[in-house]
Amino acid sequence: DLLTLSNIFSNVENLSPQIIRQVSKEIADLCNDPPEGIKIFPNEEDITDIQAQIEGPSGTPYAGGLFRMKLVLGKNFPSEPPKGFFTTKIFHPNVASNGEICVNTLKKDWKAELGIKHVLLTIKCLLIVPNPESALNEEAGKLLLEQYEDYSSRAKLYTEIHAKPPKSLKDTAGILEETSKNGQDGPMAKKHAGDKNVLDKKKKEKKKVLKRL
């Protein structure tokens, strides 16, 4: 909303020139040499609004997804931690319905010397190892502890719908194979079955052409 936007923009004025230079340098360094699986989108008009994209780590329900997020630096940064939000919808115990991220690094474990890179890496790690004890999404936290398969299926579905770019037929076939390995025959598997048949047909046609050659 407008009030939030005005508060964010005013933060630049509240930060000292030294802090502004420090943040600008760190953002430039992150753009030139980004951590693995993390991409930064600097906001040249407002350095207190840091946009980033995190690749869903392999071996997790978020694998293959591209998750947009932002860090908002408050007027007391770095004495106080930034606020973190996922702008891509995600099913995760430590992410509220409004996208707010709950991680100890952004709360009680914050130290002024911790930089933006550390925060981004911590949030990426949260996708690998969620912390159900400080859940903002109680349903996700409960499923993670009591019914992991249900949690994983729900998180994968959210990733599929909200975080994955449009797929080629090859990608779709890969997803179908992975789903069948897990013994799942849900709506996503049925959805991709038609795509796999098309892909198989194209493969056969390609073999026929090669034989003629």
Side-chain angles (χ1 to χ4, degrees), residues 37 42 69 178:
M69 60 152 297
E178 185 181 339

Side-chain angles (χ1 to χ4, degrees), residues 140-154:
K142 190 175 181 182
L143 283 176
L144 176 64
L145 290 172
E146 299 175 4
Q147 296 170 288
Y148 182 80
E149 287 303 318
D150 290 346
Y151 157 76
S152 180
S153 296
R154 182 86 68 88

Side-chain angles (χ1 to χ4, degrees), residues 80 102 169 180:
E80 294 179 0
C102 178
L169 285 172
S180 62

Side-chain angles (χ1 to χ4, degrees), residues 57 59-62 90-95 101-104 122-137 140-145 148 151-152 155:
T60 73
Y62 311 104
I90 182 172
F91 187 74
H92 190 288
N94 307 112
V95 183
I101 302 165
C102 178
V103 60
N104 285 339
T122 300
I123 291 171
K124 183 184 175 184
C125 286
L126 201 63
L127 296 183
I128 302 171
V129 186
N131 180 12
E133 292 177 4
S134 60
L136 289 178
N137 182 331
K142 190 175 181 182
L143 283 176
L144 176 64
L145 290 172
Y148 182 80
Y151 157 76
S152 180

